């Protein structure tokens, strides 16, 4: 009888352990299903001491989606290896701008200065960003060129055209003048399929940025105090890179795994 009772208690103990293990497995499975993962990436840069960040609206939301919400649950921002968790404060989908703010409780020392004057046709520019994310390498990349037009496609005067190379992942990055002032936000490159269909040729060195007046209006509308500068002493690209690296961030759009699967399903079907 004692042995039977002992065996019964042992079986109950084992059954309890198995039940707890199964509950933990189901809990982990559920957490894994709803865990946010990196969906896509972009670039942004600090514009205030409070940790406000400017980037493109399409970096924080795929608004082309019809059957599922394409907005990031959160954005992870990295400066070197330091992680800043951010929240999305505002979006201007028409002009493709988004405003983020870090959740970290700290003062940002290095942030961008905007030039008061608008871009000038032919002036030298430098861009910083993370083309193709971290696929090629985790380091920030620099390209340079000139302002090649004061309007975008179809005389879109909120944009300027530049011949500095831009790739997916550059979106939302700063465009600097020769003095280290920000004179634009990298936004897009010319669509090769559109030009191939319309003109029978591929566009070369045709990329676009959002003009500083548009960015400053967006910041003003959201109550963000930004810095302006009228610096007129040219600096080297090495110096521009040195200073710009302290302000420019790698952004990761984090989306729940279950919703990301739906996004990929719609995207694959559309493609």
């Amino acid at each position: 009888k004692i042995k039977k009772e002992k065996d019964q208690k042992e079986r109950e103990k084992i059954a309890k352990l198995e039940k707890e293990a199964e509950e933990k497995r189901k809990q982990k499975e559920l957490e894994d299903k709803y865990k946010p993962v990196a969906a896509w990436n972009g670039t942004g840069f600090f514009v205030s001491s409070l940790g406000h960040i400017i980037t493109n609206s399409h970096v924080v939301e795929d608004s082309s989606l019809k059957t599922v919400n394409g907005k990031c649950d959160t954005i992870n921002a990295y400066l070197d290896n330091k992680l800043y968790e951010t929240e999305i404060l505002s979006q201007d989908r028409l002009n493709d701008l988004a405003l983020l703010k870090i959740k970290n409780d700290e003062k940002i020392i290095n942030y961008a200065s905007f030039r008061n004057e608008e871009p000038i046709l032919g002036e030298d520019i430098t861009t910083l960003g993370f083309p193709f994310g971290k696929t090629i390498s985790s380091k920030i990349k620099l390209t340079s060129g000139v302002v090649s037009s004061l309007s975008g496609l179809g005389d879109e005067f909120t944009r300027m055209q530049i011949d500095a190379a831009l790739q997916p992942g550059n979106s939302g990055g700063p465009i600097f003048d020769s003095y280290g002032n920000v004179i634009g936000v990298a936004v897009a490159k010319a669509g090769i399929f559109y030009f191939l269909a319309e003109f029978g040729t591929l566009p070369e060195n045709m990329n676009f940025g959002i003009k500083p007046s548009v960015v400053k209006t967006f910041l003003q509308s959201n109550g963000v105090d930004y810095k302006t500068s009228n610096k007129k002493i040219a600096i080297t690209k090495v110096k521009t890179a040195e200073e710009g690296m302290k302000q420019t961030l790698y952004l990761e759009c984090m989306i729940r795994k279950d919703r990301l699967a739906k996004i990929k399903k719609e995207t694959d079907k559309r493609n």
Side-chain angles (χ1 to χ4, degrees):
K1 184 179 179 181
I2 294 173
K3 187 176 183 304
K4 284 183 179 179
E5 289 178 354
K6 187 176 180 181
D7 289 345
Q8 179 64 25
K9 286 181 180 179
E10 188 65 27
R11 284 193 295 271
E12 289 174 356
K13 183 180 179 181
I14 291 170
K16 184 181 178 182
L17 290 172
E18 287 177 344
K19 185 180 179 182
E20 288 175 352
E22 179 64 13
E23 286 175 352
K24 284 181 180 179
R25 186 191 68 77
K26 287 182 178 179
Q27 180 65 27
K28 187 177 182 304
E29 192 177 81
L30 197 64
E31 288 174 357
D32 187 57
K33 180 181 178 180
Y34 293 107
K35 178 183 178 183
V37 294
W40 55 76
N41 63 277
T43 304
F45 58 101
F46 282 125
V47 293
S48 81
S49 62
L50 298 177
H52 290 97
I53 298 167
I54 278 289
T55 187
N56 288 152
S57 181
H58 75 260
V59 171
V60 306
E61 180 185 23
D62 184 347
S63 58
S64 69
L65 297 167
K66 306 297 182 185
T67 63
V68 60
N69 177 11
K71 194 167 184 175
C72 307
D73 291 313
T74 187
I75 306 284
N76 285 343
Y78 295 87
L79 189 65
D80 288 330
N81 293 319
K82 182 170 183 177
L83 168 63
Y84 293 94
E85 289 187 18
T86 75
E87 56 183 331
I88 303 168
L89 295 185
S90 181
Q91 286 176 256
D92 178 348
R93 293 176 179 85
L94 180 63
N95 290 307
D96 204 356
L97 288 171
L99 178 66
L100 315 178
K101 188 177 184 300
I102 63 171
K103 295 179 181 178
N104 308 52
D105 185 21
E106 65 176 273
K107 185 175 182 180
I108 300 301
I109 299 172
N110 297 297
Y111 54 96
S113 293
F114 289 90
R115 191 172 80 184
N116 285 324
E117 300 169 359
E118 287 293 280
I120 300 169
L121 186 66
E123 72 171 302
D124 291 330
I125 54 95
T126 300
T127 74
L128 286 176
F130 296 90
F132 301 111
K134 295 186 177 181
T135 306
I136 298 174
S137 76
S138 61
K139 297 298 183 183
I140 197 168
K141 316 294 188 302
L142 178 150
T143 60
S144 60
V146 298
V147 175
S148 47
S149 176
L150 297 178
S151 67
L153 290 175
D155 287 334
E156 189 176 10
F157 289 104
T158 61
R159 307 285 171 95
M160 61 180 175
Q161 184 180 319
I162 61 176
D163 66 357
L166 296 180
Q167 308 296 343
N170 274 112
S171 296
I175 302 173
F176 296 98
D177 65 10
S178 299
Y179 316 109
N181 306 308
V182 169
I183 61 163
V185 177
V187 63
K189 64 183 300 173
I192 60 172
F193 297 111
Y194 168 80
F195 274 83
L196 197 59
E198 290 293 317
F199 305 105
T201 186
L202 297 178
E204 294 184 13
N205 303 326
M206 184 180 287
N207 301 303
F208 301 96
I210 304 167
K211 289 181 178 178
S213 56
V214 180
V215 185
K216 287 186 282 188
T217 298
F218 177 60
L219 290 172
Q220 288 168 5
S221 299
N222 285 283
V224 178
D225 292 327
Y226 56 86
K227 186 167 59 174
T228 59
S229 172
N230 286 316
K231 288 184 285 188
K232 292 295 183 182
I233 301 175
I235 60 176
T236 64
K237 285 184 173 57
V238 172
K239 187 66 176 175
T240 300
E242 184 181 307
E243 293 302 313
M245 285 171 62
K246 299 173 185 176
Q247 308 162 3
T248 308
L249 303 116
Y250 174 74
L251 304 181
E252 277 186 336
C253 170
M254 307 298 290
I255 294 180
R256 276 178 14 191
K257 286 178 73 174
D258 62 317
R259 187 154 58 87
L260 183 57
K262 293 177 182 177
I263 289 172
K264 286 182 176 179
K265 185 177 180 180
E266 182 183 326
T267 303
D268 291 343
K269 187 177 180 180
R270 184 175 60 201
N271 292 340

